[in-house]
Amino acid sequence: MRRDVRILVAGDDGVGKSTLITSLIKEQYVPNIQHIVPEVTIPPNITPENVTTHIVDSSARAENREHLEMEIRKAHVICIVYSIDDPHTFNRLASYWLPYIRGLGVNVPVVLVGNKIDLRGDQVANQSLEDEIIPIMNEFKEVETCVECSAKQPLNVSEVFYFAQKAVLHPTAPLYDSREHVLKPACKNALKRIFSLCDADKDGVLNDDELNDFQRKCFNAPLQQQELEGVKDVVKDNEPAGVNDIGLTELGFLFLHKLFIQRGRLETTWTVLRQFGYGDDLSLREDFLYPEIDIPYDCSVELSPYGYQFFADIFQAFDKDKDGALKDDELEQLFSTAPQGSPWTNSEFPQTTITNEAGAVTLQGWLAQWSMTTLLDYKTTLAYLAFLGFEGDTRSALKVTRPKKLERKRNKVQRNVFLVYVFGAAGSGKTTLLKTFLNKPFTEGYSPTTRTFSVVNSVEIKGAEKYLVLQEFGSKYENEILQNKRKMEACDLLCFVYDSSDVNSFSYIVELRRRHLILENMPTVFVATKSDCDLVQQRHEVQPDVYCRTLGLSVPISVSVRLQQIADLWILMTGYAMSPATATPGGIVDATHGTSRVKRYLTFTALTGMILGAAFLGFRLFQQHRRVLNVNVNPSVMNT
């Protein structure tokens, strides 16, 4: 809700605009005031709504037209004043002022103010006023209400500005159709969503406990039992289907808010809507869905214990048959409070996580899926925490990890969710390997990967549960990810997959590493698939095991998806991600010969030492030989 309101007082000359403002400030009539009074600012502690209020006077004279139009565009609400004793000023509301404001492209609430009721005498004109105002309100939906007052007596002066404030802070137009006397569709949908979120046991009724939880959340105070019964009696008298033996139904909840609005208590309904994140246009606010969160460079985001507990609780609430899994209809109901439905409609969910034999998502799979979503796109998780009714600050459901470089330097990673990129030649078995991670059955045939495929599962290691996210991109699309520095920095472990029965499969990996230097110093594991087939000699100068040893890495892990022989691959991967130094190459690879530059440097140094040593030995021998020659040819030496 905004914290300031700017009220423009407009209308024909002589209707009492300036006098009205002066009477509000002085709390008495002041004769002979200036034509336009200066802008008035009322501090928030003076107003019932606790907002700063700016009241601006204006003139209808031609020489002040430019200033008037500027103020109309700046106003949050416009009070158009007419004089009770001058019908011409009333007629100009619909013939001039309201079309004029529309013509400027301004769409703000308008309050019609009938001044000088002290000049009406003893006439009673309530019905006459209603008959005259209703047609105007039907034609100009921006008109919120009409108030009659007297700046001279003064009478109803403060009510004019109170209704003007309400028109801004608690507008009628988004909530209620005054012509049809019904809640507008957007308002009805918002209230239905709120009802669903407050229905903790999901039985379609708000019992007394749920009603009081709602009351505490919105108004900071529960209702006494007598008050609760009174509310239900009012609903029952007017909408019998709005109450049953358990409590208040959705129909009754909607009726109550319609009643509040009809009785002028719009602030009640707006308080509820804003407490649940709605803005003035009845869409969920950006700051509600995406509160600011500081994520330093090289850090990732995970669910906190509060986040895991929330998603576990909501899983249990919607698992109606208590079979430990969410079927399609249960998922649909769970996501009914999210405007876009499921966050994973564009993925292959639920085939991206653990399901039971019937394809329903298990609790393990549900928590794993949210772990992956939070790691890859934490803003989606933030929004859905709000959509699904997380109590309190949604940021408390997340936690920011320590920088990766710092953890790698210490070789002790304390994160719980790890990202593994899977690369390899077409047909090497990457997708099948990922599906095996989820215990999906093996299927024959090859289907090329045309978009990023991500899967997630939990892995227990050293008594703790970790989550491993595996992503493969397809050999045609790998270059895109490899050229994205930000995405590569997010990766915890590289998994290079090759087909041990295909002579050309390993060469693809070597060439990939040669072309992309970013791969050289990242934690790495090699996986040889199809170990149930005949092992072939790879068409490369260096065979995979030698190549890995040259890098200072473990030899490739041989697996057979067909025979379900995966060894401890997932535990090993998680262990490497937790201790990255154990899987980081010891030197930068020379892809042509499969020899590390470190090794080549050491070899060169050794050869250089041998050559220098041989040269030195040769020089000593030469000196000794020269001395012998001198002895044989020098007579003085012989005589001696």
Side-chain angles (χ1 to χ4, degrees):
M1 187 173 71
R2 66 170 60 251
R3 303 314 309 164
D4 70 309
V5 174
R6 189 173 184 84
I7 303 172
L8 173 64
V9 182
D12 294 335
D13 277 351
V15 295
K17 302 186 296 295
S18 303
T19 306
L20 192 65
I21 298 173
T22 305
S23 294
L24 175 72
I25 303 304
K26 300 293 186 180
E27 297 184 344
Q28 63 180 4
Y29 173 66
V30 179
N32 304 319
I33 60 174
Q34 61 196 86
H35 178 58
I36 301 177
V37 299
E39 179 179 323
V40 174
T41 299
I42 302 175
N45 59 317
I46 303 299
T47 64
E49 301 294 343
N50 195 36
V51 294
T52 302
T53 304
H54 306 276
I55 302 175
V56 181
D57 195 8
S58 68
S59 170
R61 295 176 183 176
E63 61 267 28
N64 300 119
R65 179 63 56 85
E66 184 178 346
H67 181 263
L68 172 63
E69 293 185 354
M70 180 187 71
E71 290 298 342
I72 288 174
R73 291 189 171 95
K74 290 167 60 177
H76 299 142
V77 58
I78 301 172
C79 292
I80 308 178
V81 184
Y82 66 93
S83 179
I84 295 292
D85 67 333
D86 186 354
H88 176 67
T89 62
F90 177 83
N91 293 334
R92 275 173 54 85
L93 296 175
S95 65
Y96 174 74
W97 282 105
L98 289 166
Y100 172 57
I101 293 169
R102 275 191 179 180
L104 296 176
V106 174
N107 183 21
V108 297
V110 172
V111 175
L112 305 181
V113 181
N115 190 22
K116 305 183 183 181
I117 57 173
D118 54 288
L119 300 179
R120 179 181 286 155
D122 296 331
Q123 301 178 32
V124 178
N126 286 342
Q127 186 59 48
S128 175
L129 175 65
E130 184 176 341
D131 292 341
E132 291 177 330
I133 290 295
I134 290 299
I136 297 177
M137 295 183 72
N138 287 338
E139 182 180 355
F140 299 94
K141 295 298 184 183
E142 56 268 38
V143 177
E144 283 282 322
T145 189
C146 180
V147 186
E148 291 190 333
C149 66
S150 170
K152 188 173 184 178
Q153 285 188 342
L155 180 67
N156 287 348
V157 173
S158 60
E159 281 78 0
V160 168
F161 297 98
Y162 171 69
F163 280 111
Q165 280 185 338
K166 283 187 65 173
V168 177
L169 303 175
H170 313 301
T172 304
L175 307 183
Y176 190 69
D177 188 328
S178 301
R179 179 183 298 175
E180 301 295 332
H181 304 291
V182 295
L183 296 175
K184 287 189 173 179
C187 176
K188 185 179 291 188
N189 290 336
L191 291 173
K192 284 182 175 180
R193 174 179 173 270
I194 292 169
F195 179 89
S196 179
L197 291 175
C198 295
D199 181 15
D201 56 10
K202 309 305 173 188
D203 64 351
V205 182
L206 297 185
N207 58 39
D208 289 355
D209 289 338
E210 290 166 340
L211 275 171
N212 265 329
D213 287 341
F214 163 78
Q215 189 74 13
R216 273 188 287 266
K217 179 179 176 69
C218 296
F219 306 104
N220 298 317
L223 294 173
Q224 299 298 320
Q225 189 61 38
Q226 186 177 354
E227 294 174 310
L228 280 172
E229 295 303 325
V231 168
K232 287 186 282 187
D233 287 343
V234 170
V235 175
K236 188 174 181 179
D237 291 343
N238 294 274
E239 190 69 68
V243 179
N244 63 21
D245 293 339
I246 300 174
L248 194 69
T249 66
E250 183 185 86
L251 187 63
F253 188 73
L254 294 176
F255 168 78
L256 275 178
H257 285 281
K258 178 181 172 182
L259 189 63
F260 292 147
I261 294 168
Q262 290 174 335
R263 292 183 177 179
R265 292 175 53 190
L266 287 95
E267 63 275 13
T268 300
T269 298
W270 274 114
T271 298
V272 171
L273 290 166
R274 286 173 176 140
Q275 184 63 44
F276 281 85
Y278 288 94
D280 290 349
D281 60 353
L282 290 188
S283 63
L284 291 167
R285 302 188 312 270
E286 285 289 308
D287 66 303
F288 175 72
L289 296 177
Y290 308 108
E292 289 187 11
I293 180 170
D294 182 28
I295 304 174
Y297 176 76
D298 203 32
C299 297
S300 60
V301 182
E302 298 178 356
L303 287 175
S304 71
Y306 298 114
Y308 280 115
Q309 187 62 55
F310 171 76
F311 285 118
D313 289 344
I314 203 168
F315 179 96
Q316 300 292 352
F318 283 91
D319 181 17
K320 294 296 186 181
D321 54 9
K322 304 303 176 185
D323 64 346
L326 295 179
K327 296 185 282 293
D328 289 345
D329 60 329
E330 292 171 330
L331 283 168
E332 184 178 356
Q333 186 181 2
L334 188 154
F335 287 121
S336 63
T337 56
Q340 297 86 10
S342 169
W344 309 304
T345 52
N346 294 325
S347 72
E348 297 183 37
F349 177 82
Q351 299 306 310
T352 55
T353 191
I354 296 296
T355 60
N356 62 16
E357 293 180 356
V361 183
T362 65
L363 178 59
Q364 177 187 354
W366 172 254
L367 297 178
Q369 184 74 19
W370 280 112
S371 297
M372 176 168 67
T373 300
T374 306
L375 178 70
L376 301 179
D377 182 13
Y378 75 90
K379 287 189 175 181
T380 294
T381 299
L382 272 178
Y384 274 80
L385 285 164
F387 291 151
L388 301 177
F390 182 84
E391 288 288 339
D393 189 342
T394 53
R395 289 172 292 190
S396 66
L398 306 182
K399 68 174 183 178
V400 179
T401 67
R402 295 193 305 178
K404 287 186 178 180
K405 287 185 178 179
L406 176 63
E407 290 194 319
R408 285 178 179 174
K409 185 177 180 181
R410 298 177 178 177
N411 197 35
K412 188 177 181 181
V413 178
Q414 296 180 339
R415 286 175 290 122
N416 296 311
V417 189
F418 302 98
L419 180 59
V420 180
Y421 288 165
V422 182
F423 296 111
S428 59
K430 301 185 297 295
T431 303
T432 304
L433 187 67
L434 266 60
K435 289 182 177 179
T436 301
F437 185 40
L438 306 178
N439 304 319
K440 307 297 182 186
F442 174 76
T443 56
E444 297 285 355
Y446 169 67
S447 178
T449 300
T450 57
R451 63 176 182 174
T452 302
F453 179 51
S454 306
V455 300
V456 60
N457 198 356
S458 59
V459 179
E460 186 175 337
I461 184 168
K462 297 180 180 178
E465 188 174 53
K466 306 293 182 180
Y467 290 95
L468 208 59
V469 177
L470 308 182
Q471 281 192 324
E472 69 123 330
F473 314 95
S475 52
K476 290 184 179 180
Y477 311 97
E478 288 174 342
N479 284 330
E480 295 179 17
I481 196 74
L482 288 167
Q483 291 169 4
N484 188 323
K485 184 180 178 183
R486 186 74 176 178
K487 285 189 175 293
M488 290 305 297
E489 288 174 344
C491 176
D492 295 295
L493 180 69
L494 300 172
C495 176
F496 291 109
V497 176
Y498 71 95
D499 180 354
S500 61
S501 66
D502 180 353
V503 296
N504 297 310
S505 190
F506 185 72
S507 294
Y508 177 88
I509 295 173
V510 177
E511 178 61 19
L512 197 69
R513 287 176 57 83
R514 186 191 66 80
R515 284 189 285 108
H516 299 281
L517 299 180
I518 196 170
L519 300 172
E520 293 180 334
N521 292 315
M522 295 182 65
T524 303
V525 62
F526 287 81
V527 176
T529 59
K530 306 181 185 179
S531 63
D532 54 301
C533 300
D534 292 336
L535 181 67
V536 299
Q537 190 84 354
Q538 292 294 312
R539 193 169 291 160
H540 189 69
E541 292 89 342
V542 178
Q543 292 305 295
D545 55 342
V546 177
Y547 182 87
C548 289
R549 288 194 185 99
T550 302
L551 294 175
L553 301 177
S554 299
V555 297
I557 303 169
S558 294
V559 301
S560 170
V561 173
R562 184 194 303 270
L563 301 180
Q564 294 294 303
Q565 296 175 348
I566 305 298
D568 293 328
L569 178 59
W570 317 124
I571 294 176
L572 287 171
M573 279 187 174
T574 308
Y576 289 148
M578 292 175 64
S579 301
T582 60
T584 302
I588 303 174
V589 172
D590 177 348
T592 305
H593 299 98
T595 304
S596 70
R597 292 180 189 171
V598 172
K599 185 174 181 180
R600 290 168 58 201
Y601 172 78
L602 292 174
T603 303
F604 173 78
T605 303
L607 288 173
T608 302
M610 291 174 63
I611 292 170
L612 290 174
F616 179 73
L617 179 63
F619 177 72
R620 293 294 303 272
L621 289 171
F622 171 75
Q623 282 188 321
Q624 185 176 359
H625 179 66
R626 187 176 178 182
R627 182 181 296 175
V628 170
L629 288 175
N630 285 339
V631 169
N632 290 334
V633 299
N634 191 332
S636 60
V637 173
M638 290 178 66
N639 292 334
T640 304

